[in-house]
Every structure is written in structure tokens, then in C-alpha cells.
Amino acid sequence: MPTKSGVIGMLAAALGRRRNESLEDLVELKFGVRIDLPGTKLDDFHITQMGEKLNANLSHRVYLSDAIFLVGLESGDFNFLQIIADALANPKFCIFLGRKSCPPTLPLVLGLQGKDLESALRGEEWLVPDWRKKSLFRFKKEIPLRIVIESLEGSAAKKDVPVSFSPMRREYRYRRMKEAPAKIVTDEFLPVLTEHDPMVELK
């Protein structure tokens, strides 16, 4: 699932902050994720020719393909959330998911809500497109969507809170997380998909 450091990196880029600038206000945001579609891991191997005098360089990368996540941020300062939303709509620097070849899918902001983080994540519509839902319910009647929220009472810890993104001194600290009750989606409201006939216009 998305890390807090990754999301804060996107926010800092959208706000136009340099890598050595302070992140204190951004790390104070309470962070939560709902996993709408977990995706699959994609292994990718690269062979880079380094020149006639050097050996070829073999690198191994792992990508997460076909995943859908809902990320929520909570703050006591509603105006700050509005500034972030405006920045994501008009970013100062390029924002991407780990690599520049992986831009995020629009829209980046689904809206601002006057709710606590868990309620907002639970109340938002399932983000999986209608054409995909039917295949997901082929062998099941309901699907639980995991919700993981930053919490001082959490039993799990993750070292993904950025203290500094400076290339000279990258530094991270831990945060605690808890698993909230999952949002359950069912096949009750599956869309009725009609057959598409590409030849109908020629009749």
C-alpha cells in the first residue's frame, strides 16, 4: 500500500518545496489508506549497456500493477488541506509514483470532508470501475476493503515518516498504525452491462 513518505513526497513536489526544505507541517497530517484493489506484482529486468569498456548493468525492479488505493489525510487546519488540494490540481513540480514513468491516475483529489479520517475512508464510493466489478464478484458475494490508519494506539510500526528528503541526509522515523474494520462491498448493486454491437451503426 502507499507509504506516508511517498505521499508526502508527492505533496511536497506539488507545493514546490525543494528536497532540503522543512516537512514538519506535512508529517503532522494523519494518514490512512483504503485498499480498493490490491493489484499484482510485476517483475521487470533491465540490461543497460555501460559502454565498450564496462560490463552491461543488470537491474531488477518490482512494480505494483493494476492497484487502486484511496488515501486520506486528516488535519485540524482545514485551510491547509485546501492549499494541498489546490497544489495537487496545479503542481509546481512533476508528481509521480516512485518513478517518472509512473504518473498517478487522475483525479488526485476526490474532495474535502468535515469528517474524521476513518469515517471519510469508509464513506467514499468504491473506486473500482464498473466494467471490472463483475469479474471480481465471480466467485464471491462480498469483498472486504482493508482500511489502515495511522494511530498512536496501533500495534504495527512502519519507518516511513520523512524527516528529510535531502540527498545528503535522508532520514525517516517510525509511525504506528492500526487496522480499522474493513468496508464491505457486495454484488447487490452490480451495474447491468449491455452487450456492445459494433456493427449496429451499419445496419
Side-chain angles (χ1 to χ4, degrees):
M1 69 185 72
T3 61
K4 185 170 185 177
S5 60
V7 171
I8 286 179
M10 291 176 58
L11 300 183
L15 291 164
R17 298 191 186 181
R18 303 286 177 177
R19 288 183 178 271
N20 57 354
E21 289 189 54
S22 174
L23 302 169
E24 288 186 13
D25 53 350
L26 294 175
V27 299
E28 290 301 317
L29 295 168
K30 188 177 180 181
F31 178 79
V33 178
R34 192 183 78 192
I35 304 173
D36 282 17
L37 195 63
T40 55
K41 286 186 177 181
L42 176 65
D43 290 305
D44 191 17
F45 291 90
H46 288 262
I47 298 178
T48 306
Q49 299 299 331
M50 306 299 290
E52 295 181 0
K53 297 183 179 181
L54 298 174
N55 295 326
N57 182 41
L58 176 64
S59 62
H60 173 225
R61 296 184 177 91
V62 179
Y63 297 90
L64 190 58
S65 174
D66 198 27
I68 300 176
F69 301 105
L70 175 67
V71 170
L73 299 168
E74 181 182 296
S75 172
D77 187 347
F78 192 84
N79 289 332
F80 184 43
L81 292 178
Q82 185 64 64
I83 290 171
I84 291 174
D86 293 341
L88 289 171
N90 301 279
K92 295 289 178 30
F93 296 136
C94 178
I95 52 179
F96 47 86
L97 305 175
R99 298 181 62 81
K100 291 182 179 179
S101 60
C102 302
T105 304
L106 296 175
L108 289 178
V109 179
L110 298 181
L112 301 179
Q113 301 184 15
K115 302 178 181 178
D116 65 274
L117 181 56
E118 184 176 340
S119 298
L121 289 172
R122 192 177 309 282
E124 196 67 39
E125 291 292 325
W126 193 24
L127 300 181
V128 171
D130 287 346
W131 63 267
R132 185 70 191 280
K133 292 177 181 177
K134 189 173 182 179
S135 64
L136 295 176
F137 283 112
R138 185 174 300 167
F139 302 110
K140 57 187 73 175
K141 293 294 183 181
E142 61 180 35
I143 297 175
L145 308 181
R146 286 181 62 203
I147 298 175
V148 182
I149 295 178
E150 186 174 3
S151 172
L152 294 176
E153 302 172 354
S155 58
K158 190 173 183 65
K159 192 176 184 179
D160 72 342
V161 180
V163 177
S164 172
F165 283 136
S166 171
M168 306 302 294
R169 187 180 61 88
R170 284 182 179 270
E171 186 179 349
Y172 301 88
R173 60 179 173 82
Y174 285 94
R175 66 183 172 96
R176 303 199 69 81
M177 305 175 298
K178 72 173 184 179
E179 188 107 5
K183 175 185 174 74
I184 305 298
V185 293
T186 68
D187 64 352
E188 181 181 358
F189 300 107
L190 272 181
V192 178
L193 301 179
T194 58
E195 291 289 336
H196 172 60
D197 183 0
M199 305 302 291
V200 70
E201 298 297 332
L202 302 178
K203 294 179 181 180

